[in-house]
């Protein structure tokens, strides 16, 4: 092998080194992102990333997550039952499940009675669920509004008639009284402070950590075409592997 | 392979997703139908058991967490009590109907299944294992319940509900005697 040829080979190797170094530097950031997010995603269940939510305002704004502008709320002597989006709240405590509409809420004795969709939720004063009553528990269909009769007992206006439960909410019967004597519940506006706290709570319950990790991993956090960035990163990694192998092979010779 | 079988196999392949239970709520039997089946002479008026004090703690021990409501409805007549209970398998509640007769399970049916996996627990080969099961020390069942591969969480949930129904039945019977 001539001297000139050896020099040419050394120059080629040096050039490959330089390319390998720059590709490595460029890919390093992506490797870190892919490795860290991949590692975390492998342990989603252990760290409950699917049930934990992002609270960071910057990330929530980036995803365009906003609280709904409209809500329905009923005030009960200092407490508030509010439907915010599909989330139902007793003050700031979120109740289980998702709901389409809040029909009314009032206090009957020690219990808070909340009518949502086709169900009535019985709550303790602190918001703890006593029982969820549906059609099979006698709740009338097509509920329109709730109210209290002159004796302070619950009256429910159903699709075609008025109904009243017994004191334990176990048996229901037709109510034959005069609807004009009933004090029907009226929706109310929330105090500003509670509204702002609910907005914060609502936004913090929407975006699971797992979603952000997946979007970081796939590149989709950068938008609809963000995956192309990770595609380029993948190409760089392939180039890195190939250039590394080539350098190793040439140095062996 | 005969060519005539190709269209049939293609059809089977395409319809395969529809043969599997999809995610979402599947009602195998309504709670009302379950009660009517267990009480053919007429479903008795319901009663409620409040989960307070000792009962609440024992229920928590059995389930591994608090029951989502403070009271549970049940129907009882002639020493038999029926319970419609919910327990989460992985993410969503499985509604199960359980009839207890003299401290032993007479019938157990998965009524409503909402998860995307583990629906095999509705089959009789699984639910029949609970037939005549009763509680022994530590509120455990007196027998081993075989697992179903791929439905472990649903199996656990239904087994917990069987223990819960037996415990609550025992509690209301003791309470009535007092």
């Amino acid at each position: 092998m001539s001297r000139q040829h050896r020099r040419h080979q050394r120059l080629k190797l040096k050039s490959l080194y330089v390319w390998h170094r720059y590709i490595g530097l460029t890919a390093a950031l992506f490797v870190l992102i892919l490795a860290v997010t991949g590692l975390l995603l492998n342990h989603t269940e252990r760290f409950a990333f699917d049930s934990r939510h992002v609270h960071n305002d910057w990330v929530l704004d980036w995803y365009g997550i906003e609280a709904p502008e409209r809500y329905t709320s009923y005030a009960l002597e200092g407490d508030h039952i509010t439907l915010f989006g599909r989330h139902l709240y007793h003050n700031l405590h979120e109740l289980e499940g998702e709901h389409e509409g809040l029909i009314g809420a009032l206090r009957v004795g020690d219990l808070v009675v909340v009518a949502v969709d086709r169900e009535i939720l019985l709550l303790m004063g602190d918001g703890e669920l006593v029982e969820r009553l549906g059609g099979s528990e006698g709740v009338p269909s097509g509920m329109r509004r709730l109210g209290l009769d002159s004796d302070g007992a619950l009256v429910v206006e159903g699709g075609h008639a008025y109904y009243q439960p017994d004191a334990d909410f176990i048996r229901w019967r037709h109510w034959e009284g005069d609807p004009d004597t009933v004090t029907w519940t009226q929706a109310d506006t929330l105090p500003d402070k509670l509204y702002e706290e609910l907005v914060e709570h609502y936004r913090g319950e929407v975006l699971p950590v797992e979603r952000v990790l997946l979007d970081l991993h796939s590149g989709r956090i950068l938008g609809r075409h963000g995956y192309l960035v990770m595609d380029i990163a993948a190409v760089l990694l392939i180039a890195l592997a190939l250039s590394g192998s080539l350098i190793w092979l040439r140095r062996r010779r | 392979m005969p060519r005539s079988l190709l269209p049939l196999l293609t059809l089977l392949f395409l319809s395969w997703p529809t043969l599997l239970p999809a995610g979402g709520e599947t009602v195998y039997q309504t709670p009302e139908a379950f009660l009517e089946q267990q009480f053919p002479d007429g479903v008795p008026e319901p009663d409620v058991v409040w989960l307070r004090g000792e009962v609440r703690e024992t229920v928590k021990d059995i389930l591994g967490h608090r029951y989502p409501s403070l009271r549970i409805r049940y129907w009882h007549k002639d020493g038999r009590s029926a319970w419609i209970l919910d327990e989460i398998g992985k993410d969503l509640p499985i509604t199960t109907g359980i009839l207890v007769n003299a401290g032993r399970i007479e019938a157990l049916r998965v009524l409503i299944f909402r998860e995307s996996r583990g629906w095999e627990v509705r089959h009789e080969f699984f639910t029949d294992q609970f037939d005549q099961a009763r509680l022994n020390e530590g509120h455990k069942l007196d027998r081993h319940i075989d697992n179903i591969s791929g439905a472990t969480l649903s199996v656990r949930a239904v087994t917990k509900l069987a223990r819960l129904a037996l415990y609550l039945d025992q509690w209301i019977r003791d309470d009535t005697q007092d």
Side-chain angles (χ1 to χ4, degrees), chain A residues 220-235:
Chain A
R220 284 188 168 81
I221 197 152
L222 298 174
R224 205 149 53 108
H225 301 295
Y227 68 93
L228 292 173
V229 176
M230 283 304 171
D231 283 355
I232 294 167
V235 172

Side-chain angles (χ1 to χ4, degrees), chain A residues 128-129 131 136 168 171, chain B residues 32 45 56 66 71 73:
Chain A
E128 188 168 9
L129 181 70
E131 199 179 357
S136 55
D168 293 323
R171 293 160 201 89
Chain B
E32 294 86 350
E45 286 290 335
R56 192 176 193 179
R66 276 169 40 190
R71 72 180 200 186
R73 202 168 279 241

